[in-house]
């Protein structure tokens, strides 16, 4: 499995001082940018113009998570902006395979996200079209929520499918990630972790990133990635 990556979410950052907040996480693997439209989720954050400015000043690549309706129409523009990775929600896409291919064609890694209640099985045949699969471990829309352990079996099933496919797709989790929950998520098979409050709520975000990376990189017990019996 690929190395543990920590992508802090700026949803928990000081929006008035975003450039300074980005410098505080320069040791991160990427910065997770939550784009919300108050339609797909009940919250409104930022849009393409702000993402373009973040792209211009960020010391690390951008990992854009689009929690927006009509992803097929809007997602490609984020790839055109130079964002390294663009993740759309499958629940907001009419043609996810076509969209993933278009994102890749425009130079971005293609990511697909699933809400906690969305089963992963119908989309496992798509793995070869993706660079990243995001399993939401909270309901999307707000930061500061508690990790949903009920998503762990889905993470295990996704990991088994990725390993079996030989695709090398990154398995990302987002929501409620702390030094404690990252261990459970890593044992289930995740290797990319979005953390908001655990990073920006710390006195030293860079140290918090290092601690999370260490916790998520611990050797997993034998059989930790096995799929539980139904």
């Amino acid at each position: 499995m690929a190395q543990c990556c920590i992508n802090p979410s700026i949803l928990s950052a000081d929006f008035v001082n975003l450039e300074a907040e980005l410098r505080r996480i320069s040791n991160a693997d990427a910065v997770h940018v939550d784009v919300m439209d108050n339609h797909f989720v009940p919250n409104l954050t930022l849009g393409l113009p702000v993402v373009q400015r973040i792209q211009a000043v960020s010391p690390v690549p951008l990992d854009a998570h689009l929690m927006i309706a009509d992803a097929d129409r809007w997602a490609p523009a984020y790839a055109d902006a130079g964002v390294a990775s663009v993740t759309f929600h499958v629940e907001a896409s009419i043609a996810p395979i076509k969209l993933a291919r278009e994102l890749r064609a425009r130079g971005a890694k293609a990511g697909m996200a699933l809400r906690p209640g969305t089963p992963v099985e119908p989309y496992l045949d798509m793995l070869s079209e993706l660079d990243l699969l995001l399993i939401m471990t909270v309901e999307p829309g707000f930061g500061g929520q508690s990790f949903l352990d009920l998503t762990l079996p889905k993470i295990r099933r996704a990991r088994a499918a990725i390993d079996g496919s030989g695709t090398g797709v990154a398995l990302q989790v987002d929501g409620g990630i702390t030094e404690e929950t990252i261990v459970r998520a890593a044992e289930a098979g995740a290797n990319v972790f979005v953390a908001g409050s655990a990073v920006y709520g710390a006195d030293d975000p860079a140290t918090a990133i290092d601690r999370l990376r260490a916790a998520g990189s611990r050797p997993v017990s034998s059989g930790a990635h096995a799929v539980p019996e139904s």
Side-chain angles (χ1 to χ4, degrees):
M1 189 170 64
Q3 66 177 7
C4 169
C5 296
I6 306 298
N7 296 7
S9 169
I10 59 170
L11 190 62
S12 298
D14 179 359
F15 273 37
V16 176
N17 299 291
L18 273 183
E19 186 172 0
E21 293 285 74
L22 290 166
R23 289 196 297 268
R24 298 174 77 197
I25 60 166
S26 59
N27 62 326
D29 295 281
V31 56
H32 192 80
V33 182
D34 292 297
V35 178
M36 306 183 194
D37 63 357
N38 198 30
H39 292 284
F40 180 71
V41 292
N43 197 3
L44 183 66
T45 54
L46 44 83
L48 183 59
V50 176
V51 173
Q52 289 172 323
R53 287 297 301 136
I54 294 171
Q55 169 72 22
V57 301
S58 177
V60 294
L62 264 61
D63 169 30
H65 177 194
L66 307 184
M67 288 169 273
I68 61 175
D70 198 4
D72 304 82
R73 177 182 180 186
W74 300 111
Y78 289 83
D80 289 342
V83 172
S85 177
V86 179
T87 298
F88 62 90
H89 270 264
V90 70
E91 303 93 348
S93 173
I94 296 173
I97 293 176
K98 179 182 177 182
L99 178 54
R101 289 178 177 177
E102 185 167 4
L103 292 173
R104 282 176 157 182
R106 297 188 185 208
K109 292 183 178 179
M112 187 174 71
L114 283 70
R115 288 178 180 266
T118 301
V120 69
E121 287 76 10
Y123 307 104
L124 295 179
D125 288 343
M126 277 188 61
L127 288 175
S128 63
E129 305 287 348
L130 301 173
D131 300 290
L132 180 148
L133 179 65
L134 167 55
I135 304 294
M136 291 297 300
T137 45
V138 299
E139 284 295 336
F142 294 92
Q145 299 183 65
S146 297
F147 184 90
L148 294 174
D149 282 284
L150 60 82
T151 61
L152 290 172
K154 182 162 69 169
I155 296 169
R156 293 189 186 100
R157 294 193 295 272
R159 169 50 59 193
I162 290 170
D163 289 349
S165 71
T167 57
V169 172
L171 183 52
Q172 185 180 77
V173 290
D174 180 1
I177 296 299
T178 65
E179 285 186 54
E180 176 189 5
T181 60
I182 196 174
V183 175
R184 300 203 293 277
E187 287 178 344
N191 66 299
V192 182
F193 306 90
V194 177
S197 303
V199 172
Y200 278 112
D203 292 334
D204 184 352
T207 298
I209 291 168
D210 289 339
R211 291 173 63 92
L212 285 167
R213 188 178 286 118
S217 300
R218 293 172 188 165
V220 298
S221 58
S222 177
H225 295 164
V227 180
E229 295 182 4
S230 56

